[in-house]
């Protein structure tokens, strides 16, 4: 038996998971339910670290608040963490509060599940103008992320959203939807007030390819039609289908459903409504962004932001399908007057201290979840799962299979893991307290959860209430920490 096996055979295997979103929680759950643990081959002791004071990661800070499936996913994650066999430690940032050296000292294995929160870049002229935004930044704002400004410039009447994935539709829906419809969600008060005062009349969503190649899902598409006093507008010239499109429609139920929905909307759109809606959501296909341009009258930077000029419009090249489902340019260019542009073309992972980083893909280099060093060799005891492992693709449910693969390799390696120098579970708590880190725990989340529910009940009972609110999200980090910590720790 190896020294590692000898040193861990008489105590639980200590595992740290960095990131308490779905990927991290799924990994913890799968490890605790593994056959090896259930059969008594070994015991496991898991600490789940999170940079935010609250758990759930992407579900709390990366998904539009009006998604009908959010509550179900939160309930499932809550059940896992509420069992008591996984310790949650929030408000602890990797690379600032704790280093890889620290984790090595207290844990036999470390799994990184830090996700991806930054916008993928769009390299076109004018992308840096005032009024040009990243969709991920907007999502963080309307989801009440504790580390972003509580203000957002909602001044545009006409807005372009670039992208044809679920995030693009989320961004467009939140921009065009009337704020009062969002009161049934946990939307923060500052977000509600800002959206309510928005002067928006038209939101245009642009995709490079055709209706049969979109990346969003039927659920996302259907949610668009639920917005009140919002007309959905489509354009017949965008409904181009090549052989690859026809084959995709025939062979894929999801694509067929979405194309049928869109074409039905296109037909129904010509039936004149008795009362036109006050807002319009335009869906455009076969448009490739070329340039965002400013108002010619703008002189220098008048905003104090360092950005020269304000968005006045966006230019696209008209595309056509090439027969294989891809697109090629036509040489025809179209201008749309807009005062704001949101790019929602994907997320990009961020580098992690002391680990290799693939800047092109935005991931930590790995083989099946085993993190690799600069020479391409597995780093003993270090693993990855979720978007930081495979890139920001797939739906939340896909992270379960992803975590299963990573945990499988950890279990395979468990007898050769470098043993922790100090595996006592209390030791990491003592280090956090010694460094003055105001960590939060699961008991603290229960307090914060109750507080947010109480805010919703208080609002519902107020004079201005016309609808019951289940909860209102607390935004400032210091408030979250204060409510969570209360008088208890550990």
């Amino acid at each position: 038996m190896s020294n590692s096996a000898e040193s861990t055979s008489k105590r639980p295997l200590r595992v740290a998971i960095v990131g308490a979103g779905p990927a991290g929680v799924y990994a913890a759950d799968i490890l605790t339910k593994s056959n090896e643990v259930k059969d008594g081959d070994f015991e496991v002791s898991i600490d789940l670290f999170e940079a935010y004071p609250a758990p759930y990661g992407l579900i709390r800070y990366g998904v539009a608040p009006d998604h009908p499936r959010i509550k179900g996913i939160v309930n499932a994650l809550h059940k896992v963490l509420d069992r008591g066999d996984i310790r949650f430690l929030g408000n602890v940032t990797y690379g600032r509060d704790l280093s890889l050296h620290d984790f090595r000292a207290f844990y036999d294995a470390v799994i990184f599940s830090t996700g991806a929160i930054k916008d993928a870049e769009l390299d076109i002229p004018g992308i840096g103008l005032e009024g040009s935004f990243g969709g991920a930044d907007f999502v963080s704002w309307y989801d009440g992320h504790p580390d972003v400004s509580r203000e957002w410039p909602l001044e545009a009447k006409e807005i372009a959203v670039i992208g044809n994935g679920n995030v693009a539709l989320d961004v467009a829906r939140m921009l065009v939807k009337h704020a009062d419809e969002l009161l049934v969600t946990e939307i923060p008060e500052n977000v509600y007030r800002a959206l309510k005062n928005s002067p928006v009349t038209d939101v245009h969503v642009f995709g490079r390819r055709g209706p049969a190649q979109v990346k969003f899902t039927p659920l996302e598409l259907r949610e668009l039609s639920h917005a009140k006093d919002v007309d959905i507008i489509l354009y017949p010239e965008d409904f181009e289908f090549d052989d690859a499109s026809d084959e995709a429609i025939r062979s894929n139920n999801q694509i067929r459903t979405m194309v049928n929905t869109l074409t039905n909307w296109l037909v129904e759109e010509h039936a004149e409504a008795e009362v036109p809606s006050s807002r319009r959501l335009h869906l455009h296909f076969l448009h490739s962004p070329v340039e965002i341009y400013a108002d010619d009258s703008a002189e220098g930077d008048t905003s104090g932001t360092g950005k020269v000029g304000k968005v006045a419009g966006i230019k696209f090249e008209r595309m056509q399908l090439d027969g294989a489902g891809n697109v090629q340019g036509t040489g025809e260019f179209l201008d749309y007057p807009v005062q704001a542009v949101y790019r929602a073309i994907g997320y990009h992972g961020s580098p992690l201290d002391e680990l290799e980083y693939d800047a092109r893909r935005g991931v930590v280099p790995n083989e099946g979840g085993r993190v690799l060093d600069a020479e391409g060799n597995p780093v003993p005891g270090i693993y990855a799962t979720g978007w930081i492992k495979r890139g920001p693709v797939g739906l939340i449910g896909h992270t379960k299979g992803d975590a299963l693969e990573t945990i499988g390799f950890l279990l395979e390696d468990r007898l050769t893991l470098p043993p922790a120098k100090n595996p006592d579970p209390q030791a990491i708590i003592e280090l956090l307290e010694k460094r003055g880190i105001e960590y939060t725990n699961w008991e603290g989340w229960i307090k914060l959860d109750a507080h947010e529910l109480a805010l919703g009940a208080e609002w519902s009972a107020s004079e201005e209430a016309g609808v019951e609110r289940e909860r209102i999200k607390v935004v400032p980090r210091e408030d979250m920490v204060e409510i969570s910590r209360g008088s208890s720790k550990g």
Side-chain angles (χ1 to χ4, degrees):
M1 183 179 288
S2 69
N3 290 337
S4 174
E6 288 177 355
S7 63
T8 60
S9 61
K10 296 181 181 180
R11 64 166 173 83
L13 187 75
R14 290 284 285 147
V15 177
I17 299 177
V18 183
V25 177
Y26 290 151
D29 189 40
I30 289 168
L31 181 55
T32 59
K33 292 178 178 177
S34 65
N35 290 332
E36 291 84 347
V37 172
K38 287 195 298 184
D39 294 344
D41 292 353
F42 75 103
E43 294 180 42
V44 65
S45 170
I46 301 173
D47 285 344
L48 185 62
F49 290 86
E50 174 55 59
Y52 310 132
Y56 308 143
L58 173 72
I59 296 297
R60 185 171 169 93
Y61 294 119
V63 181
D66 59 346
H67 268 304
R69 291 179 58 241
I70 288 182
K71 190 176 295 185
I73 297 172
V74 166
N75 288 342
L77 299 179
H78 180 98
K79 288 179 181 177
V80 173
L81 295 180
D82 202 44
R83 294 194 311 245
D85 56 347
I86 300 164
R87 184 167 63 174
F88 171 74
L89 294 170
N91 203 40
V92 180
T93 299
Y94 172 75
R96 184 190 68 192
D97 299 327
L98 293 176
S99 67
L100 187 61
H101 176 78
D102 295 325
F103 280 107
R104 289 282 203 187
F106 298 106
Y107 300 93
D108 307 301
V110 185
I111 303 172
F112 288 91
S113 57
T114 50
I117 60 171
K118 291 185 178 180
D119 283 285
E121 294 297 325
L122 178 61
D123 187 15
I124 61 172
I127 197 68
L129 289 172
E130 183 182 352
S132 173
F133 306 105
D137 292 335
F138 183 57
V139 171
S140 292
W141 174 77
Y142 67 58
D143 271 335
H145 192 295
D147 299 330
V148 304
S149 171
R150 299 188 69 185
E151 306 297 324
W152 190 272
L154 291 167
E155 301 161 351
K157 290 185 176 181
E158 299 160 303
I159 300 171
V161 178
I162 303 172
N164 252 176
N166 285 341
V167 175
L169 290 197
D170 278 355
V171 168
R173 194 177 65 256
M174 290 295 291
L175 285 166
V176 81
K177 203 169 188 177
H178 290 279
D180 285 350
E181 283 195 73
L182 295 167
L183 286 174
V184 295
T185 74
E186 60 183 26
I187 186 171
E189 188 67 13
N190 65 298
V191 176
Y192 166 68
R193 296 296 177 191
L195 290 173
K196 189 165 181 66
N197 293 325
S198 170
V200 65
T201 59
D202 293 82
V203 174
H204 299 261
V205 181
F206 296 94
R208 288 186 70 250
R209 299 200 290 172
Q213 288 84 36
V214 295
K215 297 297 184 182
F216 47 74
T217 59
L219 176 63
E220 289 281 350
L221 191 59
R222 285 194 298 270
E223 285 181 23
L224 291 184
S225 64
H226 296 159
K228 297 176 182 177
D229 191 33
V230 176
D231 287 336
I232 297 176
I233 299 175
L234 300 105
Y235 299 85
E237 62 270 24
D238 289 347
F239 282 75
E240 178 184 315
F241 301 95
D242 60 1
D243 291 342
S245 301
D246 292 336
E247 176 57 29
I249 293 167
R250 281 194 300 269
S251 61
N252 187 301
N253 287 333
Q254 177 167 302
I255 292 174
R256 183 164 56 250
T257 298
M258 288 192 293
V259 170
N260 286 342
T261 299
L262 289 167
T263 51
N264 286 339
W265 286 354
L266 181 64
V267 172
E268 294 167 1
E269 182 189 320
H270 295 290
E272 288 291 328
E274 291 184 11
V275 181
S277 298
S278 66
R279 294 179 176 179
R280 290 161 294 280
L281 178 61
H282 307 254
L283 299 180
H284 303 269
F285 303 99
L286 299 169
H287 281 65
S288 182
V290 174
E291 177 189 7
I292 303 169
Y293 54 87
D295 185 340
D296 290 338
S297 64
E299 295 183 7
D301 173 26
T302 59
S303 65
T305 63
K307 299 182 178 183
V308 179
K310 294 184 177 182
V311 169
I314 183 167
K315 182 189 295 290
F316 291 89
E317 182 177 9
R318 182 78 187 167
M319 310 301 285
Q320 63 185 10
L321 295 169
D322 64 358
N326 296 314
V327 292
Q328 56 192 18
T330 65
E332 177 188 358
F333 295 91
L334 302 168
D335 282 1
Y336 293 85
V338 297
Q339 300 83 51
V341 175
Y342 290 73
R343 67 184 185 278
I345 58 172
Y347 285 85
H348 200 74
S350 302
L352 293 167
D353 283 4
E354 302 180 74
L355 299 182
E356 291 300 310
Y357 177 65
D358 182 338
R360 182 182 64 84
R361 297 179 56 220
V363 300
V364 170
N366 69 92
E367 285 183 356
R370 288 180 173 125
V371 170
L372 305 177
D373 62 19
E375 284 71 47
N377 302 311
V379 181
I382 307 298
Y383 303 85
T385 190
W387 281 3
I388 198 62
K389 168 188 173 183
R390 60 187 165 86
V393 293
L395 302 175
I396 292 170
H398 293 153
T399 56
K400 287 185 178 179
D402 200 40
L404 191 63
E405 179 185 52
T406 294
I407 295 302
F409 283 122
L410 188 155
L411 291 170
E412 193 177 298
D413 300 340
R414 74 183 187 278
L415 297 180
T416 58
L417 295 172
K421 296 182 180 65
N422 190 348
D424 181 357
Q426 186 59 27
I428 188 66
I429 299 298
E430 292 172 356
L431 178 65
L432 293 173
E433 293 182 342
K434 179 181 178 181
R435 292 181 177 175
I437 298 166
E438 293 186 308
Y439 65 90
T440 60
N441 58 19
W442 184 246
E443 180 187 8
W445 163 246
I446 298 299
K447 293 178 184 177
L448 180 58
D449 184 43
H451 181 84
E452 292 185 344
L453 291 169
L455 289 178
E458 181 182 340
W459 194 97
S460 300
S462 68
E463 291 183 6
E464 67 175 304
V467 62
E468 287 192 11
R469 301 197 67 182
E470 183 176 355
R471 68 189 302 130
I472 299 176
K473 189 181 289 183
V474 173
V475 179
R477 181 183 285 264
E478 58 272 21
D479 290 355
M480 295 172 67
V481 171
E482 182 179 355
I483 295 163
S484 299
R485 285 174 66 86
S487 58
S488 64
K489 297 181 290 184

